[in-house]
Amino acid sequence: MNPFTDLAEIETPALLIDLDVMEANLASMTAFLTMHGIAQRPNIKGHKIPALAWRQVRAGAMGITCQKLSEAEVMVDAGLPDVLIAVQVIGAAKVDRLLKLARRAKLTTVVDSLAGAEPIARAFASSGMTIDVLLEIDIGYHRCGVDGRGAPALARSLSQLPGLNLVGVMGYEGHLYDLSGKGAVEAAARESYEMLTRVANGLRNAGIEVPRVSIGASAGARAAVDVRGITEVRAGSYLFNDRAQIKMGSAEPATCAATVMATVISVPTETRAVIDAGAKALTPTMVGGMPGYGDILGHEDAVLDRLSDEHGMISVGATRNPFNVGDRVRIIPNSHTVVFNQFPEVHGVREGRVEAVMPVAARAMMG
Amino acid sequence: MNPFTDLAEIETPALLIDLDVMEANLASMTAFLTMHGIAQRPNIKGHKIPALAWRQVRAGAMGITCQKLSEAEVMVDAGLPDVLIAVQVIGAAKVDRLLKLARRAKLTTVVDSLAGAEPIARAFASSGMTIDVLLEIDIGYHRCGVDGRGAPALARSLSQLPGLNLVGVMGYEGHLYDLSGKGAVEAAARESYEMLTRVANGLRNAGIEVPRVSIGASAGARAAVDVRGITEVRAGSYLFNDRAQIKMGSAEPATCAATVMATVISVPTETRAVIDAGAKALTPTMVGGMPGYGDILGHEDAVLDRLSDEHGMISVGATRNPFNVGDRVRIIPNSHTVVFNQFPEVHGVREGRVEAVMPVAARAMMG
């Protein structure tokens, strides 16, 4: 595809990025966190595109965060120099890959158990290397992470392992996604961040150095500056936003940069239209309290209320069906991260024209 | 990866196919439909693997069904000679691709509107070619398709378009997925198939030839033989099955051939374990009436009850936590079709060893 192609010439379903909106989101978050002296280490799991990771670093991020070791390998291949892998690296083959990758870039990884940490420590120590690690604390999402009571003993054990360099604590406030509205979300975020800073201070009182205190979610980022002691924010969703961010009060449709463009392939009745984007383009993830699988731009009274694998079914309601076979629609998805993972490439769009086509290079990196 | 690798050496998450189970499923469906004289045209959207499509054809399928034009292109590239594209092909660029593909293989496509059919007819007629089409009828799922009353007029218009060769009707009984148990599913399937054969007979009474009467779902396949006039079954899920098929009474765990192998990366409490397979490996699709996102083999009392993008959270219940960091588990997913779409490759396994690694060649074909 030539750059500056007209949008009408792109085949559907296609994933579009409004570059003006994305750039404004990037500038806004960067300015805010920089002003408050908090380090940015954006999680690139949302877009998986090295060129966009580089834009975030050039804008001021000190490094990036990846979820998967395989994503980190792609990003290091693209020259990104400083990468946090925010999911536990478990298993001999993965530890070996981690060691190889650490020869090529500055890495940090996370641990929440001795069983997980010891193989990493052994591998690095026997190669005469050390790796920075963050101890993961459960700050309310109840996924990985030890609770505050378990932290000091584990931190002490970790700090005695050769090959590991315990540099701080991290938490992920995924439970914010269950809440609605800025007030509730930021109150819960502050509570989580205070929990994390309490743990950090407890470790310091026990004589353990804790320079890094890292939190994760975009929806909480603005609350993070209110909590003394948070040093690092891994927020990534802010770059594109989606319906989940709208529900949490941290975005509105005008700040959502990623849309799926689809074609109406059937208008079987006055109250239904069918598009060529289903669960394999959008995502079956629901957003609590919001009907359907996305906002159809310009059709606020229509609901994308069912998805099968390759079809999306739109309920039109009582008005006359505004859709015709061949029409194109653009949809703000519920969760952009699964959507990016399904598209081989994204189209960067400005003023109705395609300015760049970017491969989603770290797409479908499994482990 | 060398063939005959031990399962323990595969990195996770990985998608495994139990080849013995898959082959038994293939033999069983083939024998059943062959005995009843019904043509098989399996939908390959579930696996997207040319080698498996070829196995289905060699076993007796007269051709295959694809959902996407792009899937069909991959299958024709792999030599598959006879392909039904079961989703409306809409838009000038796609019609052009359809025409190109029709020079390389025997194609059938589906239509449910004049607005959709006319561009295809014009393109084929002006090239001196014709394409076989099936008229899609809504048989109860309320996705695409005209209803029975609209069928005769549309069929007559279609049959007068040069470039098109109307060869029959098709329907998709996706509403079976909302039902539970063999009895309810097969009763609803029969009702749908009778609706479709009534439409076919109505067209015949109006003087239109309807040699092909095509239905879709694996869960209904065994009811299709009870309804006089169904000539073709597009069932595909039977090859692997999944929890949705179990719920519909058309499979049991022992006939599920596809599993996701994952590693336990964290055991934060006595009642929780976390694996390295989340929404980007499994699928957030729920199966009505079944808790969670998959059956964990050998751990029937544990529930995979939450997924985030790269994590799966297992609730262990009241018993002592049986999971340790580094353990491997195998999971029957809720819907295998989205899962295959997310994995770059699958591992064919027999007796605990990898016998074949197959790229999912038509994965993430968007349009």
Side-chain angles (χ1 to χ4, degrees), chain A residues 69 87-98 109-120 367, chain B residues 11-12 263-266 274 276 324-328:
Chain A
L69 180 57
V87 176
Q88 281 70 10
V89 175
I90 303 295
K94 286 203 171 65
V95 169
D96 189 52
R97 286 163 54 197
L98 183 71
T109 190
V110 302
V111 297
D112 72 349
S113 68
L114 266 186
E118 281 171 339
I120 298 172
Chain B
E11 289 198 51
T12 64
T263 298
V264 175
I265 61 165
S266 179
V274 184
D276 62 354
N324 294 298
V325 169
D327 285 354
R328 290 182 161 206

Side-chain angles (χ1 to χ4, degrees), chain A residues 48-361:
Chain A
K48 300 168 178 287
I49 298 174
L52 297 184
W54 266 117
R55 285 184 78 148
Q56 291 172 297
V57 168
R58 279 195 223 100
M62 66 177 297
I64 62 168
T65 303
C66 297
Q67 292 291 91
K68 292 282 185 177
L69 180 57
S70 46
E71 285 174 359
E73 288 166 339
V74 172
M75 293 295 151
V76 170
D77 285 347
L80 275 299
D82 186 343
V83 179
L84 164 62
I85 298 165
V87 176
Q88 281 70 10
V89 175
I90 303 295
K94 286 203 171 65
V95 169
D96 189 52
R97 286 163 54 197
L98 183 71
L99 188 70
K100 286 200 176 78
L101 196 63
R103 299 185 197 277
R104 302 170 51 208
K106 172 165 174 42
L107 295 189
T108 309
T109 190
V110 302
V111 297
D112 72 349
S113 68
L114 266 186
E118 281 171 339
I120 298 172
R122 269 197 302 275
F124 277 79
S126 71
S127 298
M129 296 166 66
T130 60
I131 184 164
D132 288 352
V133 298
L134 297 172
L135 172 57
E136 182 164 3
I137 310 296
D138 181 1
I139 59 172
Y141 185 35
H142 307 321
R143 191 172 66 183
C144 298
V146 293
D147 64 15
R149 287 164 305 169
L154 180 55
R156 187 169 306 283
S157 300
L158 292 173
S159 66
Q160 289 162 358
L161 289 177
L164 293 193
N165 185 23
L166 180 64
V167 294
V169 292
M170 64 88 81
Y172 179 60
E173 59 280 37
H175 54 297
L176 302 189
Y177 281 83
D178 296 331
L179 305 174
S180 296
K182 204 179 188 65
V185 166
E186 294 193 350
R190 265 188 292 273
E191 196 177 314
S192 289
Y193 304 157
E194 282 160 6
M195 191 185 307
L196 188 63
T197 54
R198 267 200 308 276
V199 173
N201 289 330
L203 297 184
R204 289 175 185 130
N205 292 339
I208 296 164
E209 284 184 51
V210 187
R212 283 168 67 178
V213 180
S214 172
I215 58 97
S218 292
R222 287 174 194 260
V225 306
D226 299 338
V227 178
R228 194 184 170 83
I230 300 296
T231 71
E232 175 179 293
V233 167
R234 305 190 305 278
S237 293
Y238 74 89
L239 196 57
F240 304 104
N241 293 314
D242 51 29
R243 275 179 117 209
Q245 299 296 324
I246 293 174
K247 188 202 68 159
M248 288 189 284
S250 53
E252 48 192 292
T255 60
C256 288
T259 52
V260 172
M261 186 166 69
T263 298
V264 175
I265 61 165
S266 178
V267 184
T269 72
E270 270 301 299
T271 59
R272 186 164 77 248
V274 184
I275 57 173
D276 63 354
K280 291 177 186 170
L282 296 157
T283 165
T285 302
M286 297 295 291
V287 174
M290 287 182 146
Y293 298 97
D295 281 335
I296 308 166
L297 299 185
H299 294 281
E300 284 67 23
D301 51 349
V303 180
L304 178 60
D305 58 358
R306 291 189 293 150
L307 294 183
S308 53
D309 280 354
E310 284 90 2
H311 297 79
M313 280 79 92
I314 298 173
S315 283
V316 174
T319 58
R320 195 176 177 287
N321 199 323
F323 298 105
N324 294 297
V325 169
D327 285 355
R328 291 181 159 207
V329 295
R330 286 173 66 177
I331 298 156
I332 299 173
N334 281 356
S335 163
H336 73 275
T337 68
V338 174
V339 172
F340 272 76
N341 196 48
Q342 299 190 148
F343 277 85
E345 60 189 17
V346 304
H347 295 80
V349 172
R350 208 186 307 267
E351 292 171 3
R353 290 184 169 271
V354 179
E355 191 174 297
V357 179
M358 291 173 270
V360 185

Side-chain angles (χ1 to χ4, degrees), chain B residues 29 139-141 172-194 215-227 235 237 241-251 287-288 290:
Chain B
M29 182 64 84
I139 60 172
Y141 185 34
Y172 178 61
E173 59 281 38
H175 54 297
L176 302 188
Y177 280 84
D178 296 331
L179 305 174
S180 295
K182 205 180 187 65
V185 166
E186 294 194 350
R190 266 189 292 272
E191 197 177 313
S192 289
Y193 303 158
E194 282 161 6
I215 60 96
S218 292
R222 286 171 195 261
V225 307
D226 299 338
V227 178
S237 292
N241 293 315
D242 50 29
R243 275 179 117 209
Q245 300 295 324
I246 293 174
K247 187 202 68 159
M248 289 189 283
S250 52
V287 174
M290 287 183 146

